[in-house]
Amino acid sequence: MRGRLVAGNWKSNGDLAANEALLGHIRAAAADLQGAACAVCVPYPYLFQARQVLAHSTVAWGGQDVSQFGAGAYTGAVTAVMLREFDCRYVIVGHSERRSVFGERNEVVAAKFGAASQAGLTPILCVGETLQERETGKMEEVVGAQLDAVIAAKGAAAMGSAVVAYEPVWAIGTGKTATPEQAQAAHAFIRARIAAHHAVIASKLVILYGGSVKAANAGQLFAMPDIDGGLIGGAALVAEEFMAICRAAERR
Ligand code: PEP
């Protein structure tokens, strides 16, 4: 049976005092989660704090982006090895905000995926279509190309140590959630695309849904056969809400 994971994406939010309270609450509440793992992806400056609060707990932490390069003259970039030094387990790559705001193309995302894997991090590879792409019937074409770029650059076997997050762009931060059936169809498509290269890896691949997940809709989404948890933005900043989503992912 595949594992379940709920990961918070804090984006550019937080401050030392608020983080201390949020991380402390998550640490305590996650201790008795069963059959579901929990993680938080925090802004770089707060990795030290996340490690301090979450060390020796059941909660993992990670970054929200990583450089495709190693050490060197890349002003502002943070390497995968640096993230490992802060004991990150995960790093998000290819989030739609990185793609749309910072212009990251599929090839750059694939290079970041590779840098993360090589350093021993678990990349959380985000894929998803815009509203226009969905409405013009292009979801599979767009998501397929996002997956194929990583497979072409790093090989299908690299998916064996990764997590994929299906995040329809039209559902991120909009309050508009994909229906469980829409999300399931996209997740099944993703799993089939990878199965065409490697059936065993595809069957074990953890695929998260992201896009306005809340405590109120998490249970229905996580009940779908190919949805293995969630990548959570806004709701990850509210301790009770985030932990209720984690509990909805439990397998007892
Ligand atoms: C995200 O940023 O990955 C996300 C899913 O955000 P939200 O939950 O706020 O839609």
Side-chain angles (χ1 to χ4, degrees):
M1 194 179 286
R2 286 188 297 273
R4 290 259 175 119
L5 171 67
V6 174
N9 172 17
W10 288 11
K11 312 193 188 195
S12 298
N13 293 296
D15 58 61
L16 288 171
N19 300 347
E20 198 75 13
L22 180 54
L23 292 168
H25 184 120
I26 293 170
R27 181 192 168 107
D32 64 353
L33 277 179
Q34 288 188 18
C38 168
V40 288
C41 294
V42 306
Y44 294 138
Y46 300 136
L47 283 172
F48 185 81
Q49 184 185 29
R51 181 171 65 168
Q52 247 182 350
V53 178
L54 299 176
H56 311 298
S57 77
T58 57
V59 184
W61 58 94
Q64 299 169 16
D65 182 34
V66 67
S67 173
Q68 66 270 48
F69 305 115
Y74 304 104
T75 302
V78 171
T79 70
V81 170
M82 292 171 188
L83 294 180
R84 278 301 303 154
E85 224 186 346
F86 283 87
D87 297 321
C88 288
R89 183 176 306 164
Y90 297 102
V91 66
I92 298 170
V93 296
H95 190 279
S96 72
E97 287 150 18
R98 299 295 319 173
R99 293 178 189 266
S100 66
V101 181
F102 298 95
E104 289 184 10
R105 289 170 294 105
N106 284 343
E107 296 67 29
V108 170
V109 174
K112 291 185 170 199
F113 181 105
S117 298
Q118 207 182 347
L121 294 160
T122 299
I124 300 177
L125 171 65
C126 296
V127 296
E129 80 288 359
T130 63
L131 185 59
Q132 196 200 9
E133 287 162 347
R134 171 159 285 264
E135 287 177 347
T136 51
K138 291 194 176 135
M139 182 277 281
E140 294 193 356
E141 187 187 320
V142 171
V143 171
Q146 290 169 338
L147 292 170
D148 290 352
V150 174
I151 293 170
K154 301 298 156 194
M159 288 291 179
S161 49
V163 168
V164 171
Y166 170 63
E167 297 209 304
V169 179
W170 47 273
I172 297 178
T174 58
K176 222 189 226 182
T177 316
T179 64
E181 293 72 24
Q182 282 174 320
Q184 166 58 27
H187 282 227
F189 167 75
I190 291 167
R191 204 176 297 288
R193 191 78 167 204
I194 299 195
H197 297 271
H198 203 307
V200 175
I201 283 178
S203 70
K204 293 184 177 162
L205 180 69
V206 170
I207 307 179
L208 310 180
Y209 169 77
S212 298
V213 177
K214 308 174 211 51
N217 58 25
Q220 282 176 307
L221 287 159
F222 299 165
M224 303 309 279
D226 286 293
I227 301 183
D228 305 311
L231 182 56
I232 317 299
L237 300 171
V238 182
E240 290 79 7
E241 187 75 10
F242 183 61
M243 292 317 303
I245 295 168
C246 291
R247 278 192 293 279
E250 283 188 299
R251 263 203 197 104
R252 288 184 178 269

